[in-house]
């Protein structure tokens, strides 16, 4: 699917492609492996998306089913040089579309208080804050947001 710019596309991705981007994001300092991702996703229906700008991988979004009607957008990010270009928005739109097509009725996301851009995008797209999980410094508080996918 092509979005805002002619060169912005979103497609299904392998876990290896997602992990390669994950390791390039400055916000993530833990060292995950394909096996880590497979363990978390093993028994769930998944959405594995990558966004490319003019064929260059720019961001990803990875999520999985929590049940028959609930979907969790677990992990995602956009490389710094592609931020504010609509990449995250394109990934969010495509993941929501996919989740609706699969019959999911809600989509849940967890972010941190310090990721203001992500929080603002989620609120702008109709997500509602449903829970705050304190973790040390307020910047590290986890924010749980949910959106109804009903048509």
């Amino acid at each position: 699917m092509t979005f805002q710019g002619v060169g912005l596309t979103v497609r299904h991705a392998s876990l290896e492609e997602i992990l390669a981007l994950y390791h390039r994001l400055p916000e993530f300092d833990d060292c995950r492996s394909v096996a880590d991702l497979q363990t978390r996703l093993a028994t769930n229906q998944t959405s594995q998306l990558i966004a490319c700008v003019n064929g260059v991988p720019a961001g990803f979004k990875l999520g999985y089913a929590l049940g028959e009607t609930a979907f969790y957008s677990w992990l995602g990010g956009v490389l710094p040089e592609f931020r504010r270009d609509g990449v995250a928005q394109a990934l969010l739109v495509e993941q929501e579309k996919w989740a609706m097509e699969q019959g999911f009725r809600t989509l849940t996301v967890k972010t941190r208080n310090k990721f203001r851009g992500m929080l603002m995008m989620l609120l702008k797209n109709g997500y509602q804050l449903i829970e705050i999980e304190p973790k040390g410094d307020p910047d590290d508080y986890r924010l749980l947001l949910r959106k109804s996918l009903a048509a």
Side-chain angles (χ1 to χ4, degrees):
M1 176 155 289
T2 302
F3 290 88
Q4 290 173 325
V6 181
L8 178 55
T9 58
V10 177
R11 63 171 173 78
H12 176 80
S14 69
L15 291 179
E16 290 80 9
E17 288 175 292
I18 287 172
L19 197 62
L21 273 175
Y22 176 89
H23 287 148
R24 294 176 56 203
L25 290 166
E27 293 83 2
F28 299 132
D29 54 5
D30 56 342
C31 191
R32 294 184 187 268
S33 68
V34 170
D36 293 335
L37 300 181
Q38 288 170 330
T39 298
R40 180 86 178 247
L41 305 171
T43 60
N44 299 296
Q45 185 177 13
T46 64
S47 169
Q48 301 169 204
L49 300 174
I50 192 165
C52 296
V53 175
N54 296 320
V56 177
F60 72 93
K61 202 154 189 60
L62 181 62
Y64 57 87
L66 291 174
E68 286 187 29
T69 62
F71 191 80
Y72 180 60
S73 184
W74 172 42
L75 202 54
V78 176
L79 295 174
E81 61 267 31
F82 294 105
R83 292 178 185 169
R84 301 190 183 273
D85 290 338
V87 174
Q89 179 69 32
L91 286 161
L92 179 134
V93 166
E94 192 62 21
Q95 187 176 64
E96 286 181 3
K97 180 180 168 224
W98 177 89
M100 286 174 42
E101 289 170 353
Q102 304 309 307
F104 294 105
R105 288 188 230 138
T106 61
L107 204 151
T108 303
V109 180
K110 188 184 285 188
T111 189
R112 292 186 188 188
N113 207 23
K114 65 182 170 185
F115 300 141
R116 299 292 201 287
M118 176 70 167
L119 178 59
M120 297 308 291
M121 182 186 72
L122 291 167
L123 292 171
K124 183 184 99 182
N125 281 277
Y127 287 77
Q128 295 181 319
L129 182 61
I130 60 168
E131 186 178 324
I132 298 173
E133 180 184 336
K135 288 272 191 182
D137 185 71
D139 269 354
D140 287 323
Y141 282 19
R142 273 52 166 192
L143 309 175
L144 191 66
L145 297 100
R146 182 171 297 142
K147 180 178 181 175
S148 172
L149 298 175

